[in-house]
Amino acid sequence: MRSPSLTRKTRYKNGRLVRTYDWNGLQVDVYDSARNAILVIELFHDEELQPDDKAQLLIRMLFPDPAETVAMAGGQLGELLIHITWEAFGLDISADGRHASEQEAAVFDFEEDAGRIRASLLQCFGIGWDEASRQLSYADMCSLLGMLLEADTETPFQQAIYYRTAKPPKRTKTNADFCDAFEARRKHFALGSAAEDAESSANDKAASMFAAAKRAAQKGA
């Protein structure tokens, strides 16, 4: 995923945040707000839509000028989508798992931690999620969430990440109560298996979804 940069200019098209990404020497405008990233993730997890339908929706969700972008990509539309979803959102949708070595285990989930994220942004920065998710790119939002972990103020999000990632204390004869309390908090904040299953399911379906990309484009994307 592209790292945030202070030299990048904020632009809007159709009232939505847009960034320009490089692909094979071409410039591609992309709707890469944090809100759009979550909608894209939800699209991957949708089990009712067919791959062709998902591909058509994804093209419209990502690009301000879908028809122009599809024409520019030519027969490499699938490769363009793979590149953009990785660069903008850190999502590896390739059939060969080419970015697998760069991925890390998830320590938070936007659905499970929605309340914690909303409350923590307000508590620490006075920022509302609804506005921030439209004005910040996904990469910028992830950086902001990372800053919550560095803040002196303890927030619900910071607390959840701590108990998910901290090394459990070594049990001794004198700290049994502390260890039990730590384990209880760890279980309380643990991510549910549903999130992991959904992510695995989405990855399994990625190949068929994007094999349909060219067909979707030919239907008038």
Side-chain angles (χ1 to χ4, degrees), residues 145-215:
L145 294 180
M147 290 175 62
L148 286 174
L149 306 182
E150 303 173 359
D152 293 332
T153 303
E154 185 177 88
T155 65
F157 184 74
Q158 183 188 74
Q159 193 175 34
I161 301 303
Y162 170 75
Y163 281 104
R164 290 170 188 166
T165 60
K167 184 178 180 179
K170 185 176 181 180
R171 188 176 290 271
T172 67
K173 295 180 180 180
T174 59
N175 70 348
D177 289 345
F178 176 76
C179 291
D180 289 343
F182 182 95
E183 185 59 28
R185 298 292 282 174
R186 191 178 184 86
K187 289 181 179 179
H188 172 74
F189 287 114
L191 287 173
S193 59
E196 297 176 2
D197 291 343
E199 181 176 357
S200 176
S201 175
N203 288 338
D204 290 343
K205 295 176 180 177
S208 62
M209 174 179 171
F210 289 95
K214 185 180 294 187
R215 296 198 301 274

Side-chain angles (χ1 to χ4, degrees), residues 19-202:
R19 305 281 188 182
T20 301
Y21 290 77
D22 295 323
W23 177 71
N24 287 352
L26 301 173
Q27 302 289 295
V28 183
D29 285 343
V30 177
Y31 289 132
D32 70 345
S33 70
R35 179 177 178 79
N36 199 43
I38 294 174
L39 291 174
V40 169
I41 292 170
E42 290 178 351
L43 177 66
F44 291 167
H45 293 174
D46 192 308
E47 297 186 358
E48 295 183 2
L49 289 172
Q50 296 300 311
D52 282 3
D53 297 324
K54 287 186 177 184
Q56 290 187 66
L57 285 171
L58 183 67
I59 292 167
R60 288 171 169 79
M61 291 170 71
L62 289 179
F63 307 121
D65 301 303
E68 180 180 322
T69 304
V70 168
M72 177 182 65
Q76 292 186 296
L77 179 59
E79 285 299 313
L80 172 61
L81 292 172
I82 289 170
H83 176 80
I84 292 300
T85 51
W86 174 255
E87 288 296 309
F89 308 132
L91 297 173
D92 185 1
I93 61 172
S94 62
D96 57 9
R98 65 191 65 174
H99 297 294
S101 62
E102 302 174 63
Q103 293 179 316
E104 300 178 3
V107 295
F108 74 93
D109 179 82
F110 276 109
E111 183 174 354
E112 287 193 42
D113 292 316
R116 296 185 182 102
I117 291 171
R118 286 179 178 273
S120 299
L121 289 175
L122 280 172
Q123 176 186 343
C124 198
F125 304 124
I127 299 174
W129 165 262
D130 289 339
E131 181 178 3
S133 65
R134 290 177 171 85
Q135 295 185 352
L136 294 177
S137 70
Y138 182 69
D140 289 334
M141 177 60 73
C142 288
S143 293
L144 189 62
L145 294 180
M147 290 175 62
L148 286 174
L149 306 182
E150 303 173 359
D152 293 332
T153 303
E154 185 177 88
T155 65
F157 184 74
Q158 183 188 74
Q159 193 175 34
I161 301 303
Y162 170 75
Y163 281 104
R164 290 170 188 166
T165 60
K167 184 178 180 179
K170 185 176 181 180
R171 188 176 290 271
T172 67
K173 295 180 180 180
T174 59
N175 70 348
D177 289 345
F178 176 76
C179 291
D180 289 343
F182 182 95
E183 185 59 28
R185 298 292 282 174
R186 191 178 184 86
K187 289 181 179 179
H188 172 74
F189 287 114
L191 287 173
S193 59
E196 297 176 2
D197 291 343
E199 181 176 357
S200 176
S201 175

